[in-house]
Amino acid sequence: MALVTTAEVCDANPQLIVSGELRALQPILQIYGRRQVFSGPVVTLKVFEDNVLIREFLEEKGNGRVLVVDGGGSLRCAILGGNPVVQAQNNGWAGIVVNGCVRDVDEINSCDIGVRALASHPVKANKKGIGEKHVAVMIGGTRICDGEYLYADTDGILISKTELSV
């Protein structure tokens, strides 16, 4: 989606918005990381105040994918920190979207990767390894499925059932 904004995509595709094939997340997530514009195929994960599965995913080659984590909207601890984000950057992930909190914000902001999260929080997450991989998640009022496509910029985040050609 080179040099085309999410706003332009919405303007050019009203029929996809009406049909639900193109959906916009509610504007609840903060922007972190140096890459403010990113896109890619979605990999989903559902956890609650536990980051073991997040770390496992980010240890894999990203191949331009976006990890979308439904952390239940918890504001009680951070489920993503600087070390996993550095690893994600080095492994070729395009971005990480978290319905939860991050920490080590200065370290995350020095990484060439896109990160979106509700807020920052200094308390670390649990390490029990509990969660669900590749399941439909709900973030910002939007249902997101494994294999869909995510497009993010400073205007917001779009989810598409198919890869958009612009």
Side-chain angles (χ1 to χ4, degrees), residues 95-131:
I96 308 164
V97 175
V98 179
N99 185 24
C101 293
V102 298
R103 69 184 208 161
D104 308 320
V105 170
D106 290 341
E107 187 174 7
I108 291 171
N109 285 342
S110 72
C111 292
D112 184 25
I113 189 170
V115 177
R116 300 291 191 276
L118 292 173
S120 61
H121 198 295
V123 175
K124 69 180 178 180
N126 296 315
K127 307 239 184 279
K128 295 178 182 170
I130 299 170

Side-chain angles (χ1 to χ4, degrees), residues 39-115:
S39 62
V42 168
V43 178
T44 58
L45 180 58
K46 190 172 193 172
V47 298
F48 188 73
E49 297 181 355
D50 190 315
N51 71 354
V52 172
L53 297 179
I54 296 171
R55 293 179 77 99
E56 286 177 7
F57 263 116
L58 298 177
E59 288 170 0
E60 299 174 12
K61 292 294 178 198
N63 300 315
R65 295 177 295 169
V66 177
L67 182 60
V68 176
V69 182
D70 183 355
S74 174
L75 299 175
R76 300 189 309 187
C77 68
I79 57 173
L80 182 67
N83 289 338
V85 173
V86 169
Q87 192 160 36
Q89 169 197 256
N90 294 341
N91 285 337
W93 288 86
I96 308 164
V97 175
V98 179
N99 185 24
C101 293
V102 298
R103 69 184 208 161
D104 308 320
V105 170
D106 290 341
E107 187 174 7
I108 291 171
N109 285 342
S110 72
C111 292
D112 184 25
I113 189 170
V115 177

Side-chain angles (χ1 to χ4, degrees), residues 23-26 137-144 159:
R23 295 150 350 254
L25 269 66
Q26 294 171 354
V137 298
M138 192 74 130
I139 299 177
T142 301
R143 186 172 192 262
I144 305 169
I159 303 295

